[in-house]
Amino acid sequence: MIKDKVRAALNEQIKFEFESAYLYLAMAAFFQEKNLDGMAQWMRVQSMEEMTHAMKFYNHIIEREGHVELLPLGIKKTEWSTPEEAFQDAFQHEQFISSRINGLLKLAREENDYSAEPLLQWFVNEQIEEEASTSRVAALLKQVGSDSSALFMLDRDLGTRTFTMPTEEQSA
Ligand code: OFO
């Protein structure tokens, strides 16, 4: 059985993960409108991954006989002036999510919730990758500047990203 304080915090994280999915889907639409299909594809995949993150928390609460509450989603921004601005925002957002995950791990330790620790440790590692990938593309876009052929090459490269549905074991 999960303690109420931990359950409430994990529940809130479900909302943040779905907000991430929503944000990246908004970015996918932005890139699509700019005819940057590769970046749109990259963001679509990112959005799907975020949904699997939300479901990891959802499954964890259910497995521990807790009550899942789906909180209303908020989204702050749906327009960007440049691709670089969008990826910078994605990087900042991932830094925010990392701070949330670290806070959850701290709470689980304070509450002696050893069952939540492996899940949260998975997310600590995942956030290293999440921050690195968004920051890398933001830095590349900065280098690209106004060079449209470099932009299209980067777009083509990012378009190779594919989504792999996690196995049942990985999604728990
Ligand atoms: Fe769920 O990692 Fe991004 O937000």
Side-chain angles (χ1 to χ4, degrees):
M1 194 78 183
I2 190 165
K3 281 189 191 164
D4 216 47
K5 205 167 167 186
V6 177
R7 183 203 62 83
L10 296 184
N11 235 318
E12 204 184 5
Q13 191 62 30
I14 295 177
K15 174 180 95 92
F16 285 122
E17 298 294 341
F18 276 123
E19 280 181 356
S20 301
Y22 218 45
L23 172 68
Y24 296 135
L25 200 54
M27 287 182 180
F30 161 76
F31 286 122
Q32 206 79 64
E33 281 168 27
K34 295 252 172 285
N35 295 318
L36 292 166
D37 295 357
M39 291 184 200
Q41 164 69 6
W42 196 97
M43 283 296 175
R44 273 176 192 250
V45 172
Q46 187 64 27
S47 178
M48 286 188 274
E49 275 196 5
E50 298 299 352
M51 284 189 256
T52 68
H53 292 173
M55 292 310 292
K56 268 182 173 284
F57 287 109
Y58 178 103
N59 291 336
H60 183 84
I61 295 171
I62 294 210
E63 273 167 18
R64 295 181 66 197
E65 296 171 37
H67 172 63
V68 166
E69 268 173 282
L70 294 178
L71 304 168
L73 300 185
I75 186 160
K76 295 171 202 94
K77 195 168 167 183
T78 54
E79 301 278 338
W80 294 270
S81 28
T82 61
E84 187 191 342
E85 187 194 328
F87 268 95
Q88 279 294 356
D89 277 5
F91 176 45
Q92 265 182 29
H93 180 74
E94 289 307 328
Q95 288 175 300
F96 164 72
I97 295 293
S98 298
S99 71
R100 294 282 322 173
I101 299 291
N102 293 342
L104 288 173
L105 184 56
K106 185 168 176 276
L107 175 69
R109 286 182 177 164
E110 282 163 4
E111 296 293 316
N112 298 323
D113 188 336
Y114 304 114
S115 308
E117 275 211 39
L119 172 77
L120 294 169
Q121 196 57 58
W122 184 91
F123 274 99
V124 167
N125 295 335
E126 176 70 7
Q127 281 310 119
I128 295 173
E129 199 186 307
E130 296 279 272
E131 285 191 33
S133 60
T134 46
S135 130
R136 177 182 164 271
V137 181
L140 286 172
L141 282 166
K142 192 175 178 156
Q143 282 174 21
V144 160
S146 55
D147 180 343
S148 57
S149 45
L151 180 68
F152 287 117
M153 272 170 70
L154 178 60
D155 186 61
R156 201 175 49 192
D157 183 39
L158 293 176
T160 58
R161 186 179 184 189
T162 53
F163 175 70
T164 312
M165 192 69 172
T167 61
E168 212 166 295
E169 201 172 76
Q170 288 167 332
S171 57

